[in-house]
Amino acid sequence: MSRKSQIFTVVLLAFVGVGLATQLYNNPWGLFKSILVFAVIAGVMYFLVNRLLLSRGTGFTGAPTDKGYQKALRQQKRRNKLKQPGQHASVSMPSPLKLRKMSRLKPSLRRDNPFRVIEGKKNKQKTNKKTKTS
């Protein structure tokens, strides 16, 4: 915050304090009513914003990065719906034929993943070393 804005804020708060003190001294019931009316209006606005705007999903959090996450979440839910809820892993060991089928299916399931891994340069050594010349 700049120096001018700090001075302006202090002067403004001083005027607010003087005004509240004067109002409290001259007309305390009027001050109480003003504060009560302000609280009611603020409560109604808070209720409207939370109930009407945010319940529709059009609130202030509609960032573009959330759209990708929401899309991936919908895809995940669809995949889970396609799976049979009654199928669980059996207690007995699967046959070798089943193991081969399962291993063939795993890569295809991984391709459907909506997320991707971005490789970084973590723990990689630098190839160009600086030499000291005299």
Side-chain angles (χ1 to χ4, degrees), residues 34-69:
S34 299
I35 291 173
L36 188 64
V37 167
F38 175 75
V40 168
I41 291 172
V44 167
M45 293 199 47
Y46 178 79
F47 174 77
L48 290 175
V49 167
N50 278 341
R51 293 294 179 179
L52 298 178
L53 294 179
L54 297 180
S55 66
R56 290 184 198 162
T58 60
F60 303 113
T61 60
T65 56
D66 291 340
K67 290 179 183 177
Y69 174 75

Side-chain angles (χ1 to χ4, degrees), residues 9-116:
T9 304
V10 169
V11 169
L12 184 66
L13 288 176
F15 280 139
V16 168
V18 169
L20 282 174
T22 305
Q23 184 75 14
L24 183 62
Y25 180 74
N26 291 335
N27 189 7
W29 183 247
L31 178 64
F32 176 72
K33 285 195 295 188
S34 299
I35 291 173
L36 188 64
V37 167
F38 175 75
V40 168
I41 291 172
V44 167
M45 293 199 47
Y46 178 79
F47 174 77
L48 290 175
V49 167
N50 278 341
R51 293 294 179 179
L52 298 178
L53 294 179
L54 297 180
S55 66
R56 290 184 198 162
T58 60
F60 303 113
T61 60
T65 56
D66 291 340
K67 290 179 183 177
Y69 174 75
Q70 294 296 331
K71 182 180 176 183
L73 194 61
R74 280 191 303 257
Q75 288 175 351
Q76 182 75 20
K77 286 181 180 179
R78 271 191 238 127
R79 251 186 261 130
N80 287 341
K81 283 182 184 178
L82 293 176
K83 292 181 181 178
Q84 301 283 337
Q87 289 182 347
H88 294 289
S90 60
V91 177
S92 64
M93 290 294 293
S95 67
L97 182 61
K98 281 187 177 181
L99 285 175
R100 272 189 261 140
K101 284 183 181 178
M102 287 176 18
S103 66
R104 269 189 273 150
L105 290 176
K106 281 184 182 178
S108 66
L109 289 176
R110 287 186 185 147
R111 275 186 251 134
D112 293 343
N113 195 346
F115 303 107
R116 65 182 167 179

